[in-house]
Amino acid sequence: MANETTSLSQDQALDLHLQKSGVETDRLINHPVGLFVLFFTEMWERFSYYGMRALLVLFLVSEASKGGWEWTRPEALSLYGWYTGLVYLTPIIGGLIADKLTGYRKAVILGALIMTMGHASMAMEGISMSFFYAGLVLMMVGNGLFKPNISSMVGKLYPAISDKKDAAYTIFYMGINSGAFLGILMCGYVGEKIGWHWGFGLAGIFMFFGMLQFYFGQKIFGVIGQKNDNKAKVVAGEAELPKKVVTERLMVIFVLSIFTIFFWMVFEQAGGSMTIFAKDYTLRSLTGSSGTLFKWADAALTIFPLIAVSVVLFGLAKKIAKKYPATILFTGLSFVIMWGLAIWKVEKEFTAVSTEVPASWFGILNSFFIVSLAPFFSKLWEAKFNPSGPIKFGLGLIFVGLGFAGLAYGGSDIPQGATVAQVSMFWLVFAYFFHTIGELCVSPVGLSYVSKLAPAKLVGLMFGVWFTCTAIGNWLAGATGGLIDKISTEYSISYFFLIFTIIPIIAGLLLFALNPLLKKWMNGVH
């Protein structure tokens, strides 16, 4: 009965908040329909980002005869680290621009447009290398405007302190990873099998659709996301807090942000050293029954997640199609194209004579596990087991370390200095599974805590700080991943992955020790 009362009061508070903000009050899965407009916008943005990222290192290290640039592994991983780092550094500027000048909505639209131009530029890499580098710069700039501000809008849909925020950010995170899954799957396949520039261009098409569906659905959000909406009394919903409370809560954001550096430094090996491991050290040429089994598994992984997000789109269409037909039209058109690509890909694989798993394919595992496990974690945090943020973060760091323990064990038979091997695919699957559990304990929870702990006038800036620490972690991922040749030559590749086992586990245990102090500094926020 107590749980029902608490749930009812949370829903009443949400309804009141939506009405005051002029937001559409219709619900889908007991959350505002606006959350799902943001879900699909973010989904296509992540499709474009991860679709391109899946190809970046592979393109750079591939032979010129295969259309690549034949860079060395350290060179490719260095550019990867700088790009992924700067992509997460620009949001601190984008957050300030939105807070002071444009508002969240205009920043999201402008950022999406700039990123679309970036992907188009990269698609022309065959004409000149300059187009490739210009595309990277445009995507860094566009991401800076887009990323922190769409995350801020998710938090703005809910009252300042609401237990539903963790669940909302987990649902939003499903959108992130649905897009990442489809982007890696489709852009990776097209890039490796057809041509790199086709993969880069495909990423931009869906970024464009994401921008259009958000642009035509803006009125769903009422005053949320408009310029200076933080100063509007109607959406403030937050009493003036004592300076000591604000300072302590900001300190919690700072501490958690610092620990995310350790998380992303090891987690983002996925696009770097783990991609190299998949390309050169993993058995990917399959024959006989194993090849047939992979074709069916790949077909299922292509079709069923697409069915799942299509069902979400159908549910949203029933709620808002009459009021916002253009939003549903452009999202629906993007899904028609995606279904066409999916059917073409499955048919092409089943008619192929030989079966070789694309090196980029393994990147979908993280997103697949996210989409599969996120509903479970959403319910877990909302109803069953909901420890404090620092405990969740500590668990996340330990789980990501366990994933690398599996890779260290799987690569233990690779001789010192070997540049190729034939390790079972199982160990990459194992690693991505544990990395996903770790990510669900850190990333959506972190977004939620930044939203809850930061005062309204500093939300955009604090998301910028959060993504700055993510940027540092991404840069360190490229820098440390670039040591794969040096460490595997002097010691072994197993030793290389063991380093990424130990670092996050130690950081996780340290967070457990800091939990009592951080809980006190939260001043009642859970």
Side-chain angles (χ1 to χ4, degrees):
M1 180 67 69
N3 287 338
E4 290 179 5
T5 303
T6 303
S7 175
L8 183 62
S9 64
Q10 288 285 329
D11 287 340
Q12 287 176 331
L14 177 58
D15 283 336
L16 181 62
H17 175 76
L18 295 175
Q19 290 166 8
K20 284 183 176 180
S21 304
V23 179
E24 288 287 343
T25 56
D26 285 344
R27 305 280 191 95
L28 182 62
I29 321 177
N30 203 30
H31 285 272
V33 290
L35 175 65
F36 296 91
V37 172
L38 299 174
F39 174 102
F40 285 114
T41 305
E42 180 74 357
M43 187 179 91
W44 289 136
E45 188 275 330
R46 291 290 89 182
F47 177 100
S48 72
Y49 172 75
Y50 281 101
M52 186 284 291
R53 198 197 72 166
L55 297 174
L56 183 58
V57 170
L58 294 172
F59 165 70
L60 293 172
V61 301
S62 291
E63 301 91 335
S65 60
K66 295 182 179 179
W69 283 4
E70 284 193 77
W71 283 20
T72 65
R73 290 175 182 174
E75 287 172 340
L77 290 170
S78 176
L79 178 63
Y80 169 82
W82 278 107
Y83 169 68
T84 56
L86 289 171
V87 152
Y88 284 99
L89 183 61
T90 52
I92 193 167
I93 301 172
L96 282 169
I97 290 172
D99 281 341
K100 302 295 184 182
L101 299 174
T102 64
Y104 300 143
R105 289 192 211 169
K106 287 183 179 178
V108 167
I109 294 167
L110 182 59
L113 179 60
I114 293 172
M115 283 188 284
T116 300
M117 294 166 59
H119 287 291
S121 183
M122 286 193 74
M124 295 187 286
E125 53 82 20
I127 300 173
S128 169
M129 293 175 67
S130 299
F131 282 111
F132 180 84
Y133 292 118
L136 291 178
V137 172
L138 286 169
M139 284 188 287
M140 292 175 199
V141 173
N143 186 81
L145 289 166
F146 184 98
K147 190 67 178 172
N149 298 309
I150 196 166
S151 299
S152 298
M153 286 189 68
V154 174
K156 288 278 192 174
L157 286 173
Y158 297 83
I161 299 176
S162 172
D163 288 343
K164 293 182 77 68
K165 275 191 180 182
D166 281 8
Y169 274 107
T170 302
I171 292 170
F172 182 66
Y173 216 64
M174 287 180 68
I176 290 174
N177 284 276
S178 297
F181 177 91
L182 293 170
I184 294 168
L185 190 70
M186 296 302 182
C187 297
Y189 185 84
V190 170
E192 287 192 66
K193 301 282 188 177
I194 308 300
W196 303 110
H197 57 281
W198 289 104
F200 292 140
L202 182 64
I205 291 172
F206 289 93
M207 181 70 265
F208 185 62
F209 278 118
M211 179 189 72
L212 290 175
Q213 73 96 29
F214 178 82
Y215 177 81
F216 287 105
Q218 290 182 77
K219 290 184 179 179
I220 286 174
F221 302 104
V223 299
I224 289 175
Q226 290 181 349
K227 183 179 178 181
N228 296 326
D229 76 341
N230 284 335
K231 297 177 182 178
K233 293 181 180 179
V234 70
V235 294
E238 184 177 285
E240 191 70 28
L241 294 171
K243 185 177 180 180
K244 181 175 180 290
V245 171
V246 172
T247 300
E248 289 180 346
R249 287 181 176 178
L250 292 177
M251 283 296 295
V252 175
I253 294 175
F254 179 75
V255 171
L256 294 180
S257 297
I258 292 297
F259 275 90
T260 62
I261 294 174
F262 297 102
F263 179 83
W264 294 115
M265 182 184 77
V266 294
F267 182 87
E268 285 297 334
Q269 297 299 319
S273 63
M274 288 176 70
T275 296
I276 296 295
F277 187 83
K279 179 179 181 291
D280 295 330
Y281 297 96
T282 302
L283 178 61
R284 297 187 291 113
S285 295
L286 306 178
T287 57
S289 59
S290 61
T292 303
L293 180 63
F294 172 77
K295 288 178 181 179
W296 281 103
D298 182 55
L301 285 171
T302 302
I303 298 299
F304 287 113
L306 196 49
I307 291 174
V309 288
S310 297
V311 169
V312 176
L313 174 60
F314 182 72
L316 180 63
K318 288 197 297 184
K319 297 285 186 180
I320 70 169
K322 289 183 180 179
K323 287 186 178 180
Y324 307 96
T327 289
I328 296 302
L329 172 65
F330 286 113
T331 311
L333 181 58
S334 66
F335 269 74
V336 169
I337 297 172
M338 182 54 61
W339 272 105
L341 283 169
I343 293 168
W344 165 79
K345 173 183 173 295
V346 169
E347 189 273 336
K348 185 175 174 62
E349 280 300 293
F350 270 100
T351 55
V353 176
S354 60
T355 302
E356 183 179 51
V357 182
S360 60
W361 182 87
F362 295 94
I364 72 170
L365 295 172
N366 171 244
S367 301
F368 172 72
F369 289 136
I370 286 279
V371 174
S372 302
L373 297 174
F376 167 76
F377 274 83
S378 178
K379 290 295 181 184
L380 183 69
W381 300 150
E382 203 168 359
K384 303 290 184 182
F385 173 69
N386 193 21
S388 66
I391 294 295
K392 291 176 183 174
F393 268 57
L395 289 171
L397 284 159
I398 290 170
F399 278 122
V400 79
L402 291 176
F404 279 107
L407 278 182
Y409 179 79
S412 58
D413 291 333
I414 298 176
Q416 179 181 346
T419 56
V420 293
Q422 297 284 287
V423 174
S424 169
M425 292 166 54
F426 169 80
W427 295 110
L428 276 170
V429 177
F430 176 93
Y432 276 113
F433 177 76
F434 279 96
H435 289 186
T436 300
I437 295 175
E439 186 180 6
L440 282 167
C441 292
V442 171
S443 197
V445 173
L447 294 174
S448 177
Y449 270 87
V450 172
S451 175
K452 288 190 286 189
L453 290 168
K457 63 183 179 181
L458 294 177
V459 167
L461 177 61
M462 288 300 101
F463 271 113
V465 171
W466 173 264
F467 288 121
T468 297
C469 289
T470 303
I472 296 169
N474 275 263
W475 179 81
L476 286 172
T480 54
L483 299 174
I484 186 171
D485 286 349
K486 179 178 174 62
I487 293 175
S488 60
T489 299
E490 295 182 6
Y491 301 96
S492 69
I493 198 163
S494 181
Y495 188 93
F496 173 80
F497 286 123
L498 195 60
I499 293 171
F500 297 110
T501 301
I502 295 170
I503 291 174
I505 288 178
I506 291 175
L509 294 174
L510 182 58
L511 258 181
F512 287 168
L514 290 173
N515 179 55
L517 176 63
L518 295 178
K519 280 183 69 176
K520 179 182 176 183
W521 284 354
M522 288 186 208
N523 289 280
V525 173
H526 182 72

